[in-house]
Amino acid sequence: MEKSDLAGNAVTFLHEEDYMDRYANPLIGADSWFKVSGRNGHDLNGDWRFAIDPFETGFRQKWYAFKRGAVPEPHDWNPYDAETCAVPSVWNLTKPELYHYEGGVWCARQIADPRTHGDEALVLRFGAANYCARVFLDGVFLGRHLGGSTPFCIDLSARLKGAGELLVHVENTRSPDRLPCHHFDWFNYGGIHRDVALYVVPKQHLRDTFVRYDGQAIVVDVETTPDADEARLEIPELGIAETIPLELGKGTLRVESNPDLWHPGKPRLYDVTITTCDDRLTERVGFRTVSVSKDRVLINGEPVYLRGVCVHEDDRETGRVTSQADICKRLVHARELGANFLRLAHYPHHERVAEIADEEGIMLWEELPAYWSINFEKSETEADAQNQLTELIKRDRNRASVILWGLANETADTRPRNTFFERLATTARTLDPTRPLSAACLFNQETLKVEDTLAHLVDVVGINEYFGWYDANVRDLSRILENYDLDKPLVISETGCDVVAGNQDVETVRNSEAFGVNYYRDQINAIEGHRAVAGFVPWLLYDFRTERRQNAVQKGWNRKGLISEDKATHKKAFWVIADFFKRQKDG
Ligand code: GCB
């Protein structure tokens, strides 16, 4: 780029600067963690003012600094007088012309300080925004959060006085440096797609709690801010009322107890209350252990067979935005299938899923979007992965239904990848030593053996196999099972074929209902009674939107759902699996 004109005068090209670099730091992440489970927030959902900004004009013209009533003329956007969009929403489904839009948008609204006492703390929380969110308050850049599926918080205690103008730039550009990377098989919805709320808490409050059962005792970790001297644990139904001594605001208590254990067949939960000073959190918690034997996943020391199904967080009308009714529907359909387990593919789903699964007794595999060919060598990508994993584990580690943290899906076996996941596994095991780790690993197509070195790192090995669909010969599946020689459980973490609901063609025609029925009969023949298989988790419950599927049948949808995208029409294959699950006992 020329830096001077022909006469030698210095020139500054406005478009030459990388504007986004100015808005890179601080990063907002798990360092500013604030636990909300058990708290009531002041809802900031509703109509926010909105504009797309494909050229980053808002950064060049500093739209975020425009003052209400004093917007300069001429201007290219007025954050106080603009069309609106709903929060939460995905912009792709708000207007036909935004369906395939990838890039940046601005979302703005006024917020009022709900505090009634001057000495209270105030925290702003976003349930999730895909993918990168830059937050401004009254023209000041507060920071940037990466990762489209986990919550993040900003302490506004000293920043908001009376009322303020909140502006958020959200951008969903795909990139190999992100998780997921530039290439994945689901729809790249953009926007603030989960709830936004303000939380008022006493200055001295609980930042985090970790409640679990180790087989003999209930163990509780507490973290407060600023540092309190002690906290209290109360579980009235168990007669527990104990003081937790804290040092520098942190402490652990272990109380021997014999609770009724949580089990998918009997999902018993207790009210657990933790207090410090004037702050109080009550959560419903189930106590159980999860471990693995040579070939089975064990709940409370007893083997369970994972009769599962994968599911995306996707809806024909609302995209990534989900609701209590939608989550309950998923669980009803899982039960109808005879499932006791859901793989929440391929990113953290809404936090209500695990809360409802706790109540309903459905086990969950929750997963990080480390999918396909992300840039394992880049330190920023790893930092992003570490942060997303930390936010997920902190968010859901008190949920009994979550039995596995899934680290990866179908990633090529390279040294940088292995280093990347070794470090992530250390983080997961440090934050939560109670749960096994899993991953969808690759198998060698020639030797028909699970040779992926990631299988040595995790505790439960998943394989995604499509014998009879992408790969021809289902007999090869039996070979893989016979060749499996690791001393840890193996789960079929995906298998499936595209079927169009109602297609009455014969079984030799792909996409027909009969093809789907045959496909699953062959799969079940290969695995039923095979000791190596600890669980069967078909791909997947519902058809879902995905830009990369454009053939005449797919038309922008992956049609491997056992139920079509209306979330009502069951394909015939659904009942083949339901029959199998009826026969398949634990043990
Ligand atoms: C897979 C991927 C999943 C895809 C599926 C398919 O192996 O893990 O994300 O959607 O196959 O339909 O091909």
Side-chain angles (χ1 to χ4, degrees):
M1 180 63 69
E2 297 284 334
K3 296 285 183 198
S4 55
D5 66 12
L6 293 176
N9 302 315
V11 276
T12 312
F13 290 97
L14 210 54
H15 56 268
E16 199 188 328
E17 292 185 43
D18 190 344
Y19 272 77
M20 303 316 271
D21 277 356
R22 295 193 198 167
Y23 305 92
N25 291 308
L27 267 177
I28 303 166
D31 292 351
S32 45
W33 186 257
F34 168 74
K35 188 175 174 75
V36 301
S37 178
R39 297 188 190 280
N40 289 322
H42 296 260
D43 192 351
L44 295 181
N45 294 343
D47 283 344
W48 291 41
R49 292 175 302 278
F50 175 84
I52 60 160
D53 189 10
F55 294 173
E56 292 147 14
T57 310
F59 292 98
R60 296 166 211 280
Q61 297 182 352
K62 299 194 169 65
W63 290 348
Y64 55 83
F66 289 0
K67 295 220 165 21
R68 185 180 280 271
V71 174
E73 289 289 356
H75 57 258
D76 292 318
W77 188 54
N78 180 343
Y80 308 105
D81 177 20
E83 65 171 322
T84 58
C85 78
V87 168
S89 72
V90 293
W91 65 66
N92 317 74
L93 300 181
T94 57
K95 284 182 177 185
E97 63 269 33
L98 294 185
Y99 190 73
H100 285 301
Y101 177 65
E102 294 184 328
V105 306
W106 292 89
C107 301
R109 65 161 288 158
Q110 192 171 51
I111 57 174
D113 189 343
R115 285 176 289 189
T116 48
H117 299 96
D119 60 347
E120 286 167 318
L122 181 67
V123 180
L124 171 65
R125 184 192 198 247
F126 292 81
N130 192 32
Y131 180 92
C132 171
R134 291 179 167 85
V135 183
F136 298 81
L137 182 68
D138 291 329
V140 177
F141 175 54
L142 301 183
R144 176 175 70 123
H145 179 263
L146 294 171
S149 307
T150 46
F152 57 98
C153 298
I154 306 173
D155 187 345
L156 296 188
S157 306
R159 286 179 164 133
L160 185 65
K161 305 234 159 52
E165 302 296 342
L166 182 64
L167 241 86
V168 187
H169 179 264
V170 187
E171 163 268 296
N172 71 336
T173 312
R174 286 169 296 111
S175 154
D177 299 344
R178 292 183 164 182
L179 296 93
C181 63
H182 54 306
H183 183 214
F184 48 91
D185 188 24
W186 63 90
F187 199 92
N188 186 26
Y189 295 111
I192 303 173
H193 62 90
R194 292 194 190 137
D195 301 331
V196 186
L198 280 170
Y199 291 85
V200 178
V201 283
K203 200 141 252 145
Q204 198 125 37
H205 59 263
L206 294 156
R207 271 192 68 174
D208 205 2
T209 67
F210 179 22
V211 184
R212 68 274 191 195
Y213 185 64
D214 72 5
Q216 265 116 39
I218 291 167
V219 186
V220 179
D221 292 343
V222 172
E223 195 184 328
T224 67
T225 184
D227 314 338
D229 294 335
E230 60 175 41
R232 281 213 39 98
L233 167 71
E234 283 170 55
I235 312 176
E237 283 172 280
L238 295 174
I240 294 176
E242 301 272 343
T243 298
I244 312 171
L246 306 178
E247 217 170 287
L248 297 175
K250 291 187 183 176
T252 298
L253 181 74
R254 193 170 176 278
V255 191
E256 301 242 339
S257 181
N258 195 13
D260 287 341
L261 297 181
W262 186 96
H263 187 275
K266 190 168 162 267
R268 175 74 161 97
L269 299 175
Y270 290 88
D271 279 344
V272 175
T273 299
I274 299 178
T275 44
T276 191
C277 305
D278 294 330
D279 194 24
R280 178 186 182 87
L281 275 179
T282 299
E283 279 189 283
R284 305 262 298 148
V285 179
F287 299 110
R288 53 105 190 91
T289 60
V290 52
S291 53
V292 297
S293 70
K294 186 175 159 318
D295 55 11
R296 283 292 177 272
V297 174
L298 311 175
I299 301 293
N300 304 323
E302 298 293 324
V304 287
Y305 190 92
L306 302 179
R307 297 182 290 275
V309 64
C310 300
V311 64
H312 261 293
E313 188 171 60
D314 190 28
D315 187 80
R316 188 168 58 176
E317 271 76 43
T318 60
R320 278 295 297 277
V321 181
T322 193
S323 63
Q324 172 95 2
D326 190 40
I327 295 167
C328 290
K329 189 183 286 181
R330 251 179 263 170
L331 265 55
V332 166
H333 282 142
R335 280 257 180 265
E336 189 180 24
L337 188 68
N340 58 8
F341 178 70
L342 286 177
R343 176 178 176 202
L344 304 183
H346 281 298
Y347 38 74
H349 288 208
H350 196 287
E351 56 215 290
R352 279 296 288 147
V353 180
E355 289 171 355
I356 298 173
D358 267 13
E359 302 276 351
E360 296 296 321
I362 294 277
M363 296 176 284
L364 302 176
W365 158 326
E366 293 202 335
E367 112 183 31
L368 183 72
Y371 181 98
W372 292 355
S373 48
I374 60 174
N375 195 342
F376 293 110
E377 297 184 44
K378 194 159 175 174
S379 59
E380 287 87 347
T381 307
E382 190 185 323
D384 184 358
Q386 291 277 2
N387 188 58
Q388 290 191 45
L389 183 69
T390 304
E391 289 172 339
L392 169 62
I393 294 178
K394 279 178 169 275
R395 195 192 71 176
D396 285 355
R397 63 185 170 172
N398 290 357
R399 303 280 79 82
S401 53
V402 180
I403 61 160
L404 293 171
W405 300 123
L407 290 186
N409 187 75
E410 298 174 351
T411 53
D413 196 349
T414 64
R415 208 177 283 278
R417 182 214 56 171
N418 292 343
T419 309
F420 180 98
F421 284 117
E422 277 158 20
R423 295 197 194 119
L424 283 172
T426 303
T427 299
R429 289 183 172 126
T430 307
L431 286 168
D432 179 7
T434 74
R435 284 176 179 83
L437 303 180
S438 60
C441 299
L442 300 175
F443 50 84
N444 186 324
Q445 303 269 357
E446 312 262 292
T447 60
L448 296 175
K449 202 167 174 208
V450 180
E451 290 172 0
D452 190 339
T453 48
L454 191 57
H456 296 282
L457 181 70
V458 294
D459 308 295
V460 174
V461 178
I463 52 166
N464 302 343
E465 54 82 11
Y466 288 83
F467 290 105
W469 183 252
Y470 297 124
D471 302 307
N473 197 342
V474 76
R475 276 195 307 270
D476 288 348
L477 173 57
S478 308
R479 296 269 308 283
I480 291 179
L481 303 183
E482 275 144 30
N483 290 339
Y484 184 72
D485 59 2
L486 297 172
D487 267 352
K488 48 182 88 176
L490 174 72
V491 170
I492 307 293
S493 42
E494 287 180 26
T495 185
C497 60
D498 288 72
V499 166
V500 176
N503 180 331
Q504 300 302 339
D505 282 331
V506 292
E507 65 192 41
T508 47
V509 178
R510 275 175 176 255
N511 308 127
S512 69
E513 293 265 22
F515 186 98
V517 165
N518 250 17
Y519 176 91
Y520 276 110
R521 283 201 180 125
D522 287 348
Q523 285 280 327
I524 291 164
N525 278 340
I527 62 144
E528 190 162 9
H530 212 296
R531 189 63 207 174
V533 181
F536 185 66
V537 193
W539 186 252
L540 78 171
L541 192 55
Y542 304 120
D543 289 353
F544 62 97
R545 228 185 230 111
T546 170
E547 292 101 320
R548 71 188 285 275
R549 307 277 181 181
Q550 295 298 342
N551 77 25
V553 164
Q554 299 162 333
K555 298 184 181 129
W557 293 79
N558 184 313
R559 306 248 179 231
K560 296 192 187 71
L562 299 172
I563 297 177
S564 59
E565 75 274 14
D566 63 4
K567 297 187 174 170
T569 311
H570 294 52
K571 302 180 192 174
K572 292 207 165 82
F574 183 100
W575 305 111
V576 177
I577 297 161
D579 265 2
F580 166 56
F581 283 168
K582 245 183 242 152
R583 297 193 296 274
Q584 181 61 52
K585 302 283 175 251
D586 291 333

CSV table of all heavy atoms in Angstrom, one decimal, residues 6-32:
chain,number,residue,atom,x,y,z
A,6,LEU,N,2.0,11.2,-5.1
A,6,LEU,CA,3.1,11.3,-6.1
A,6,LEU,C,4.0,12.5,-5.8
A,6,LEU,O,5.1,12.5,-6.2
A,6,LEU,CB,2.4,11.5,-7.5
A,6,LEU,CG,1.7,10.2,-8.0
A,6,LEU,CD1,1.1,10.5,-9.3
A,6,LEU,CD2,2.7,9.1,-8.1
A,7,ALA,N,3.5,13.5,-5.0
A,7,ALA,CA,4.3,14.6,-4.6
A,7,ALA,C,5.1,14.3,-3.4
A,7,ALA,O,5.8,15.2,-2.8
A,7,ALA,CB,3.4,15.8,-4.4
A,8,GLY,N,4.9,13.1,-2.8
A,8,GLY,CA,5.7,12.8,-1.6
A,8,GLY,C,5.0,13.1,-0.3
A,8,GLY,O,5.6,13.0,0.8
A,9,ASN,N,3.8,13.6,-0.4
A,9,ASN,CA,3.0,13.9,0.9
A,9,ASN,C,2.5,12.6,1.5
A,9,ASN,O,2.0,11.7,0.8
A,9,ASN,CB,1.8,14.8,0.6
A,9,ASN,CG,2.3,16.1,-0.1
A,9,ASN,OD1,3.3,16.7,0.4
A,9,ASN,ND2,1.6,16.5,-1.1
A,10,ALA,N,2.6,12.5,2.8
A,10,ALA,CA,2.1,11.3,3.5
A,10,ALA,C,0.6,11.3,3.4
A,10,ALA,O,-0.1,12.3,3.4
A,10,ALA,CB,2.5,11.4,5.0
A,11,VAL,N,0.1,10.1,3.1
A,11,VAL,CA,-1.4,9.9,3.0
A,11,VAL,C,-1.8,8.7,3.9
A,11,VAL,O,-1.1,7.8,4.1
A,11,VAL,CB,-1.8,9.5,1.6
A,11,VAL,CG1,-2.0,10.7,0.7
A,11,VAL,CG2,-0.9,8.5,1.0
A,12,THR,N,-3.0,8.9,4.5
A,12,THR,CA,-3.5,7.8,5.3
A,12,THR,C,-4.8,7.4,4.6
A,12,THR,O,-5.7,8.1,4.3
A,12,THR,CB,-3.9,8.4,6.7
A,12,THR,OG1,-2.9,9.2,7.2
A,12,THR,CG2,-4.3,7.3,7.7
A,13,PHE,N,-4.7,6.1,4.3
A,13,PHE,CA,-5.9,5.5,3.7
A,13,PHE,C,-6.8,5.0,4.8
A,13,PHE,O,-6.3,4.1,5.6
A,13,PHE,CB,-5.6,4.4,2.7
A,13,PHE,CG,-4.9,4.9,1.5
A,13,PHE,CD1,-3.5,4.9,1.3
A,13,PHE,CD2,-5.7,5.4,0.4
A,13,PHE,CE1,-2.9,5.4,0.2
A,13,PHE,CE2,-5.1,5.9,-0.7
A,13,PHE,CZ,-3.7,5.9,-0.8
A,14,LEU,N,-8.0,5.5,4.9
A,14,LEU,CA,-8.9,5.1,6.0
A,14,LEU,C,-9.1,3.5,6.0
A,14,LEU,O,-9.1,2.9,7.0
A,14,LEU,CB,-10.2,5.8,5.8
A,14,LEU,CG,-11.0,6.1,7.1
A,14,LEU,CD1,-10.1,6.8,8.1
A,14,LEU,CD2,-12.2,6.9,6.7
A,15,HIS,N,-9.2,3.0,4.7
A,15,HIS,CA,-9.5,1.6,4.7
A,15,HIS,C,-8.3,0.7,4.9
A,15,HIS,O,-8.4,-0.5,5.0
A,15,HIS,CB,-10.1,1.2,3.3
A,15,HIS,CG,-9.2,1.7,2.1
A,15,HIS,ND1,-9.3,2.9,1.6
A,15,HIS,CD2,-8.1,1.0,1.5
A,15,HIS,CE1,-8.4,3.0,0.6
A,15,HIS,NE2,-7.7,1.9,0.6
A,16,GLU,N,-7.1,1.3,5.1
A,16,GLU,CA,-5.9,0.6,5.2
A,16,GLU,C,-5.7,0.0,6.6
A,16,GLU,O,-5.1,-1.0,6.8
A,16,GLU,CB,-4.8,1.6,4.9
A,16,GLU,CG,-3.4,1.0,4.6
A,16,GLU,CD,-2.4,2.1,4.6
A,16,GLU,OE1,-2.8,3.3,4.3
A,16,GLU,OE2,-1.3,1.9,4.9
A,17,GLU,N,-6.3,0.7,7.6
A,17,GLU,CA,-6.0,0.2,8.9
A,17,GLU,C,-6.9,-1.0,9.2
A,17,GLU,O,-8.0,-1.1,8.7
A,17,GLU,CB,-6.4,1.4,9.9
A,17,GLU,CG,-5.5,2.5,9.8
A,17,GLU,CD,-5.9,3.6,10.8
A,17,GLU,OE1,-6.1,3.1,12.0
A,17,GLU,OE2,-5.9,4.7,10.5
A,18,ASP,N,-6.4,-1.8,10.1
A,18,ASP,CA,-7.2,-2.9,10.5
A,18,ASP,C,-8.0,-2.5,11.7
A,18,ASP,O,-7.5,-2.5,12.9
A,18,ASP,CB,-6.4,-4.2,10.9
A,18,ASP,CG,-7.3,-5.4,11.1
A,18,ASP,OD1,-8.5,-5.1,11.3
A,18,ASP,OD2,-6.8,-6.5,11.1
A,19,TYR,N,-9.2,-2.0,11.5
A,19,TYR,CA,-10.0,-1.4,12.5
A,19,TYR,C,-10.3,-2.5,13.6
A,19,TYR,O,-10.4,-2.1,14.8
A,19,TYR,CB,-11.3,-0.9,12.0
A,19,TYR,CG,-11.1,0.5,11.5
A,19,TYR,CD1,-10.4,0.8,10.3
A,19,TYR,CD2,-11.5,1.6,12.3
A,19,TYR,CE1,-10.2,2.1,10.0
A,19,TYR,CE2,-11.3,2.9,12.0
A,19,TYR,CZ,-10.6,3.2,10.8
A,19,TYR,OH,-10.4,4.4,10.4
A,20,MET,N,-10.5,-3.7,13.2
A,20,MET,CA,-10.9,-4.7,14.2
A,20,MET,C,-9.8,-4.9,15.3
A,20,MET,O,-10.1,-5.3,16.4
A,20,MET,CB,-11.3,-6.0,13.5
A,20,MET,CG,-12.4,-5.8,12.5
A,20,MET,SD,-13.7,-4.8,13.0
A,20,MET,CE,-14.7,-6.0,13.8
A,21,ASP,N,-8.5,-4.7,14.9
A,21,ASP,CA,-7.5,-4.9,15.9
A,21,ASP,C,-7.6,-4.0,17.1
A,21,ASP,O,-7.2,-4.4,18.2
A,21,ASP,CB,-6.1,-4.6,15.2
A,21,ASP,CG,-5.6,-5.8,14.5
A,21,ASP,OD1,-6.3,-6.9,14.5
A,21,ASP,OD2,-4.6,-5.7,13.8
A,22,ARG,N,-8.2,-2.9,16.9
A,22,ARG,CA,-8.4,-1.9,18.0
A,22,ARG,C,-9.4,-2.4,19.0
A,22,ARG,O,-9.5,-1.9,20.1
A,22,ARG,CB,-8.9,-0.6,17.4
A,22,ARG,CG,-8.0,0.1,16.6
A,22,ARG,CD,-8.5,1.5,16.5
A,22,ARG,NE,-8.0,2.2,15.3
A,22,ARG,CZ,-8.5,3.3,14.8
A,22,ARG,NH1,-9.5,3.9,15.4
A,22,ARG,NH2,-7.9,3.9,13.8
A,23,TYR,N,-10.2,-3.4,18.5
A,23,TYR,CA,-11.3,-3.9,19.4
A,23,TYR,C,-11.1,-5.3,19.7
A,23,TYR,O,-12.1,-6.1,19.6
A,23,TYR,CB,-12.7,-3.6,18.7
A,23,TYR,CG,-12.8,-2.2,18.3
A,23,TYR,CD1,-12.5,-1.7,17.0
A,23,TYR,CD2,-13.3,-1.2,19.2
A,23,TYR,CE1,-12.6,-0.4,16.7
A,23,TYR,CE2,-13.4,0.1,18.9
A,23,TYR,CZ,-13.1,0.5,17.6
A,23,TYR,OH,-13.2,1.9,17.3
A,24,ALA,N,-9.9,-5.7,19.9
A,24,ALA,CA,-9.6,-7.1,20.2
A,24,ALA,C,-9.5,-7.4,21.7
A,24,ALA,O,-9.9,-8.4,22.2
A,24,ALA,CB,-8.3,-7.5,19.6
A,25,ASN,N,-9.0,-6.4,22.5
A,25,ASN,CA,-8.8,-6.7,23.9
A,25,ASN,C,-9.5,-5.6,24.7
A,25,ASN,O,-9.6,-4.5,24.3
A,25,ASN,CB,-7.3,-6.7,24.2
A,25,ASN,CG,-6.7,-7.9,23.6
A,25,ASN,OD1,-7.1,-9.0,23.8
A,25,ASN,ND2,-5.6,-7.7,22.8
A,26,PRO,N,-9.9,-5.9,25.9
A,26,PRO,CA,-9.7,-7.1,26.7
A,26,PRO,C,-10.7,-8.2,26.2
A,26,PRO,O,-11.7,-8.0,25.6
A,26,PRO,CB,-10.1,-6.8,28.1
A,26,PRO,CG,-11.1,-5.6,28.0
A,26,PRO,CD,-10.6,-4.9,26.8
A,27,LEU,N,-10.2,-9.5,26.4
A,27,LEU,CA,-11.0,-10.6,26.1
A,27,LEU,C,-11.9,-10.9,27.3
A,27,LEU,O,-11.5,-10.8,28.4
A,27,LEU,CB,-10.2,-11.8,25.8
A,27,LEU,CG,-9.8,-12.1,24.4
A,27,LEU,CD1,-8.9,-13.3,24.3
A,27,LEU,CD2,-11.0,-12.4,23.5
A,28,ILE,N,-13.2,-11.1,27.0
A,28,ILE,CA,-14.1,-11.5,28.1
A,28,ILE,C,-14.2,-13.0,28.1
A,28,ILE,O,-14.5,-13.6,27.1
A,28,ILE,CB,-15.5,-10.9,27.9
A,28,ILE,CG1,-15.4,-9.4,27.7
A,28,ILE,CG2,-16.4,-11.3,29.0
A,28,ILE,CD1,-16.7,-8.8,27.1
A,29,GLY,N,-13.9,-13.6,29.3
A,29,GLY,CA,-14.0,-15.1,29.3
A,29,GLY,C,-14.3,-15.6,30.7
A,29,GLY,O,-14.9,-14.8,31.5
A,30,ALA,N,-13.8,-16.8,31.0
A,30,ALA,CA,-14.2,-17.4,32.2
A,30,ALA,C,-13.6,-16.7,33.4
A,30,ALA,O,-14.0,-17.0,34.6
A,30,ALA,CB,-13.7,-18.9,32.2
A,31,ASP,N,-12.6,-15.8,33.2
A,31,ASP,CA,-12.1,-15.0,34.4
A,31,ASP,C,-13.1,-14.2,35.0
A,31,ASP,O,-13.1,-13.9,36.2
A,31,ASP,CB,-11.0,-14.0,33.9
A,31,ASP,CG,-9.8,-14.7,33.3
A,31,ASP,OD1,-9.7,-16.0,33.5
A,31,ASP,OD2,-8.9,-14.1,32.7
A,32,SER,N,-14.1,-13.8,34.2
A,32,SER,CA,-15.2,-12.9,34.8
A,32,SER,C,-16.4,-13.8,35.1
A,32,SER,O,-17.5,-13.3,35.0
A,32,SER,CB,-15.5,-11.8,33.9
A,32,SER,OG,-15.6,-12.2,32.6
